[in-house]
């Protein structure tokens, strides 16, 4: 038998009515790695996850997971995977602990092993204190952690995470990142979708950018970043006089007289920003404010596709 | 480890336990499910009953109908429990797991059966306190319980399909509306023979009339005639159609 990667999808196509959502995408994820599908709202990320996790059929294309063909062995695939969907899928009428025990029973772990596993996960995901409460009383971060813990009860080899940190506060987001890294370190294969470049950058071994149903770029974070313009520092001034003086001192910047701003290319690290401000101070130019802009999904999209993300497009259209 | 052995029995029992836990935690729904039929029973026996001329004590006549309404009302709650599972996303979680595909739905059907039979027991005790005098032998009691269970399961599978298909909880409860409404257009409160021709045709040909007539015959000894066969056929039809439809709705949800 041919040895296959943990996830291999070829030529996935899917339309809803006459709306084409996936236009033939290919995905290969080697075992034990983290793959991130990056795309704005409405790009088709959830659709891709639903197809690969057996929830909906593709119109055409093949999916192999952990050596099993999804079309012929869906139950083998289901036994290998764990899925944490975009919206939490927990039972609010049960407690956190009961939710985990329910998963243990459905995975046929046996009473004692099931209980042990539930307690382990409660401990590991910092939910032990809230174990007796309904998830309806949990914070967003706790709910998300319970959701993921439920996915892990069956010890899946391949995990799908659909926007695992969307809507979480920065702290919960960090915690979730730690958990995901820990899973990968244990050899679990992770397919994760996100709208945030920094998240993909932080976690993924390989990133694919989804736009208009096609993967417009694939590669490591470093490879993708080479494709996009770097960040910049935006300086705002009190008047045109100061703006022009600053523009003379820091040549190469982009001047916007109407907004009284000057954009200077910069990767945003403290030393270079400090050097920039020192030069202005030496020339006795006072700047009113400063903002550091690091490249984000909009920049990636603009660089790769020549158009902004759908969200920003829509915003502009409705203005 | 990728084993893909499916355990339908044990998965269904797990799902049934989950449903029973939900029921016990949702006391207000449970209370509602018997409270409404009790009010109906009191109203019809003590307020409207005098106006109907049915030849016997009104409670004797009306109880089998109220019993059937209790069943319809109890089962209709399942539309909401199923739809909650759907909108909470938990059904999508189950669908990505290597578990028996029928088990989630079997759990709901079993939950409806146990919950509703509990309601049936309560309303029967209340009726006995109000002077209802059944003349059923043991065998007839058994048949009455079996018919109740059969009706509950038939309607439950229909309602499960509605609950899966409905986009919102409101939609799901609306879909269950015929269950609550049809008994009023049946022989529950007055014999079909007393009704105007058009209404009578409808009453004679809708499922609740033969079911209620059969129940009445079993409990109070009135003649059953063809109603018995019609009741069994209706229940079988509901069960088969509901089961097929619900399984399909489950397998294709989210498309
Ligand atoms: N069941 C469905 N029926 C019709 N259209 C759908 C359905 N699911 C998704 N879509 C459409 O497909 C597109 C991609 O959706 P989705 O995969 O959810 O994107 P993402 O997860 O990247 O935000 C959207 O335009 C969405 O409206
Ligand atoms: Mg999505």
């Amino acid at each position: 038998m041919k040895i296959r990667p943990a996830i291999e999808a070829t030529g996935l196509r899917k339309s809803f009515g006459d709306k084409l959502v996936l236009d033939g995408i290919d995905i290969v994820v080697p075992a034990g790695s983290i793959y991130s599908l990056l795309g704005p709202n409405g790009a088709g990320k959830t659709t891709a996850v639903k197809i690969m996790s057996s929830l909906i059929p593709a119109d055409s294309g093949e999916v192999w997971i952990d050596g099993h063909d999804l079309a012929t062995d869906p139950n083998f695939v289901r036994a290998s995977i764990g899925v944490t969907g975009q919206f939490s899928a927990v039972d609010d009428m049960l407690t956190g602990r009961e939710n985990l025990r329910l998963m243990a029973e459905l995975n046929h772990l046996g009473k004692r092993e099931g209980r042990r596993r539930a307690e382990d996960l409660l401990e590991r995901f910092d939910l032990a204190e809230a174990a007796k409460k309904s998830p309806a009383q949990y914070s967003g971060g706790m709910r998300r952690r319970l959701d993921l813990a439920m996915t892990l009860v069956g010890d899946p080899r391949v995990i799908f995470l659909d926007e695992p940190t969307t809507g979480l506060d920065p702290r919960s987001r960090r915690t979730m990142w730690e958990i995901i890294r820990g899973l990968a370190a244990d050899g679990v294969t992770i397919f994760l979708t996100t709208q945030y470049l920094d998240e993909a950058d932080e976690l993924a071994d390989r990133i694919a950018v989804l736009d208009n149903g096609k993967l417009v770029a694939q590669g490591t974070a470093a490879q993708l970043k080479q494709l996009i313009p770097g960040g910049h520092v935006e300086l705002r001034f009190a008047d045109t006089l100061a703006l022009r003086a600053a523009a003379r001192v820091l040549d190469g910047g982009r001047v916007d007289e109407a907004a009284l701003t000057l954009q200077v290319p910069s990767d945003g690290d403290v030393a270079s920003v400090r050097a920039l401000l020192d030069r202005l101070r030496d020339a006795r130019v006072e700047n009113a404010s400063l903002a550091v802009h690091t490249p984000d999904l909009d920049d990636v999209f603009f660089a790769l596709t020549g158009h902004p993300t759908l969200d920003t497009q829509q915003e502009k259209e409705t203005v | 480890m990728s084993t893909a052995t499916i355990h339908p029995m044990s998965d269904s029992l797990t799902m049934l336990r989950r449903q029973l836990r939900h029921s016990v935690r949702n006391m207000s729904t449970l209370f509602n499910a018997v409270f409404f039929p009790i009010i109906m029973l009191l109203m019809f026996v003590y307020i409207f009953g005098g106006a109907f001329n049915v030849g016997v004590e009104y409670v004797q006549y009306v109880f089998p109908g109220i019993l059937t309404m209790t069943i319809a009302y109890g089962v209709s709650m399942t539309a909401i429990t199923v739809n909650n599972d759907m909108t909470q996303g938990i059904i999508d979680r189950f669908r990505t797991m290597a578990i028996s595909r029928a088990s989630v739905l079997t759990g709901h059907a079993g939950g409806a059966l146990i919950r509703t039979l509990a309601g049936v027991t309560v309303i029967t005790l209340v009726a006995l306190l109000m002077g209802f005098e059944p003349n059923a032998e043991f065998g007839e009691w058994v048949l009455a319980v079996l018919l109740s269970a059969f009706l509950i399961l038939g309607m439950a599978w229909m309602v499960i399909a509605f609950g899966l298909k409905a986009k919102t909880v409101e939609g799901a409860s609306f879909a269950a509306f015929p269950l609550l409404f049809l008994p009023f257009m049946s022989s529950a409160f007055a014999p079909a023979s007393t009704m105007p021709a058009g209404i009578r045709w409808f009453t004679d040909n809708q499922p609740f009339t033969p079911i209620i007539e059969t129940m009445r015959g079993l409990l109070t000894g009135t003649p059953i005639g063809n109603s018995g066969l019609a009741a069994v056929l209706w229940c079988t039809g509901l069960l088969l159609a509901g089961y097929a439809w619900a399984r399909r709705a489950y397998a294709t949800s989210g498309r």
Side-chain angles (χ1 to χ4, degrees), chain B residues 66-144:
Chain B
I66 295 282
L67 179 74
T68 311
M69 285 189 91
T70 309
I71 291 176
Y73 197 69
V75 171
S76 73
M77 309 268 164
T78 294
I80 294 164
T81 62
V82 171
N83 196 257
N84 274 338
D85 274 9
M86 204 67 186
T87 47
Q88 276 195 355
I90 193 99
I91 287 209
D92 270 354
R93 179 183 283 287
F94 293 145
R95 287 177 67 235
T96 62
M97 298 174 72
I99 58 177
S100 146
R101 301 229 103 188
S103 65
V104 186
L105 308 182
T106 320
H108 276 286
L113 181 65
I114 293 176
R115 214 172 43 231
T116 311
L117 282 179
V120 164
T121 309
V122 173
I123 197 84
T124 308
L125 293 176
V126 172
L128 291 172
L129 288 176
M130 286 169 64
F132 175 63
E133 285 181 358
N135 70 354
E137 306 279 326
F138 178 73
E140 286 160 332
W141 276 113
V142 171
L143 286 178

Side-chain angles (χ1 to χ4, degrees), chain A residues 195-206:
Chain A
Q195 304 193 32
Y196 310 113
L197 180 62
D198 65 329
E199 181 159 286
D201 188 3
E202 191 76 34
L203 297 173
D205 298 308
R206 208 173 159 74

Side-chain angles (χ1 to χ4, degrees), chain A residues 16 50 53-57 66 68 75-76 78-81 83-84 88-95 98-99 102-103 105-108 146-148 150-151 157, chain B residues 1-7 10-11 13-15 17-18 21-23 25-26 85 88-99 101 103 251-255:
Chain A
F16 291 107
K50 284 189 170 173
S53 61
S54 87
L55 282 173
I56 57 174
D66 207 19
H68 304 290
N75 271 326
F76 279 96
R78 290 185 192 119
S80 305
I81 64 172
V83 185
T84 300
S88 70
V90 301
D91 188 338
D92 282 334
M93 301 271 278
L94 303 179
T95 66
E98 287 167 344
N99 266 289
L102 174 67
M103 292 299 120
E105 284 179 44
L106 292 173
N107 279 289
H108 308 282
L146 176 63
D147 209 15
L148 180 54
M150 286 167 71
T151 302
R157 303 310 306 148
Chain B
M1 186 187 61
S2 329
T3 45
T5 330
I6 301 297
H7 309 266
S10 115
D11 290 347
L13 284 175
T14 302
M15 294 298 183
R17 274 199 296 278
R18 168 171 178 263
R21 250 203 193 122
H22 282 192
S23 294
R25 290 198 184 156
N26 207 344
D85 274 9
Q88 276 195 355
I90 193 99
I91 287 209
D92 270 354
R93 179 183 283 287
F94 293 145
R95 287 177 67 235
T96 62
M97 298 174 72
I99 58 177
R101 301 229 103 188
S103 65
T252 61
S253 73
R255 280 191 196 170

Side-chain angles (χ1 to χ4, degrees), chain A residues 45-46 86 162-163:
Chain A
K45 302 182 297 296
T46 298
Q86 181 169 357
D162 195 2
E163 299 199 24

